Amino acid sequence: MGRDNKRKPRVPEKQSLLVNEFSPRTSKQQELVDLIQDKEIIIAKGIAGSGKTYVSLAVALSLLGEQYKRIIIVKSVTTLPQEEIGFLKGSQNEKMEPFMMSFTWNIDKLCGENAAKSLMEKNLVQVLPLAFIRGISIDNSIVIIDETQNLTLHAFKTMMTRIGENSKYIFLGDVEQVDRKNKNESCLNKVLELFKDVPEIGTIEFVDEDCVRNPLIPKILSILRENNI
């Protein structure tokens, strides 16, 4: 028989959206990476500067493709009455922009400014206020819910019941930054306790030793805690 010289078509490798190589800086960041890859729902609580947002975005961007068609960033913007989203002029995106700076800076850092802008324009990365979630089903998406410490249990329930097919939820929060007047209304500690033993849900807590932003942050927080601030 003659030799078959036909070559199988080469399957192109998935092109990464990340222009800056990402790798976890701590064992706790690696644990968060593993949870995001393995679980449908992740609840991450912890100190400012531990990299929760950066790691979550990096992994979410790496997972964009056939299964996950978009990243949806959800944020509660109801903190103080004078800061509610309805008092800001402009479109929905323009109203949300001041609240999303931590995400836009991190996306710029991970993907480059031009690519980040393109992701937003193509709706591959979308931003929604929490109030817009009610009544919709979220399919084929990675949803990052920021400032979870400002959600009530009712708002958390609303988010959880919106999850559709082939979707992943990442809840991020810091109980030391609760903006609600009644801090006991915060759901974060409660849901961590409720779901810590549910196999499909990953829970993780970052502590002072996990801070990677600046070593002064844990010291400052320790002093503030000692003075009940």
Side-chain angles (χ1 to χ4, degrees):
M1 293 179 62
R3 186 176 177 180
D4 187 359
N5 291 322
K6 290 184 179 180
R7 295 182 179 179
K8 293 181 180 180
R10 183 175 179 271
V11 178
E13 296 182 0
K14 179 184 174 183
Q15 186 175 3
S16 175
L17 294 170
L18 308 182
V19 296
N20 290 319
E21 184 178 347
F22 165 75
S23 59
R25 295 178 59 183
T26 65
S27 60
K28 192 59 70 72
Q29 286 190 0
Q30 181 63 61
E31 185 180 345
L32 178 56
V33 170
D34 294 340
L35 286 175
I36 294 172
Q37 292 174 337
D38 295 340
K39 304 291 185 179
E40 286 186 75
I41 297 173
I42 302 92
I43 305 171
K45 160 192 167 183
I47 181 174
S50 55
K52 302 185 301 297
T53 301
Y54 189 79
V55 171
S56 298
L57 276 173
V59 181
L61 287 164
S62 72
L63 292 175
L64 272 183
E66 293 184 5
Q67 180 177 0
Y68 302 112
K69 303 296 186 183
R70 66 189 64 83
I71 297 170
I72 300 175
I73 300 170
V74 177
K75 190 161 187 173
S76 172
V77 295
T78 305
T79 52
L80 300 175
Q82 63 268 30
E83 295 177 357
E84 291 180 356
I85 191 170
F87 288 90
L88 298 175
K89 295 181 179 180
S91 65
Q92 175 184 307
N93 285 340
E94 289 171 334
K95 288 183 177 184
M96 289 296 294
E97 187 174 355
F99 300 98
M100 305 310 298
M101 294 303 293
S102 63
F103 283 99
T104 54
W105 286 343
N106 280 319
I107 295 174
D108 286 353
K109 186 186 298 184
L110 286 162
C111 301
E113 189 174 343
N114 290 336
K117 183 178 180 182
S118 177
L119 287 170
M120 300 290 288
E121 290 175 347
K122 294 177 180 178
N123 285 327
L124 295 175
V125 176
Q126 300 177 353
V127 174
L128 289 175
L130 179 67
F132 284 41
I133 296 298
R134 186 185 299 273
I136 68 174
S137 180
I138 301 173
D139 300 319
N140 308 310
S141 302
I142 301 174
V143 185
I144 300 176
I145 304 95
D146 194 27
E147 307 285 1
T148 300
Q149 75 274 3
N150 288 327
L151 302 186
T152 63
L153 282 172
H154 179 74
F156 180 84
K157 179 180 177 181
T158 297
M159 275 301 312
M160 290 288 266
T161 56
R162 297 300 95 208
I163 191 169
E165 295 183 357
N166 299 318
S167 284
K168 188 183 293 288
Y169 273 16
I170 307 169
F171 289 90
L172 305 175
D174 178 0
V175 293
E176 296 193 82
Q177 298 191 53
V178 177
D179 294 319
R180 305 193 68 86
K181 290 181 179 179
N182 183 355
K183 296 186 184 298
N184 290 326
E185 292 179 345
S186 172
C187 76
L188 186 52
N189 280 335
K190 298 169 186 174
V191 298
L192 273 169
E193 183 64 25
L194 285 170
F195 295 105
K196 66 180 181 180
D197 297 322
V198 178
E200 297 83 1
I201 297 177
T203 60
I204 184 171
E205 181 174 356
F206 291 80
V207 295
D208 288 5
E209 291 76 15
D210 300 311
C211 180
V212 295
R213 182 179 297 155
N214 189 307
L216 273 176
I217 292 175
K219 294 180 181 179
I220 292 168
L221 290 176
S222 177
I223 293 170
L224 293 173
R225 290 182 198 125
E226 290 172 2
N227 290 275
N228 296 317
I229 299 174

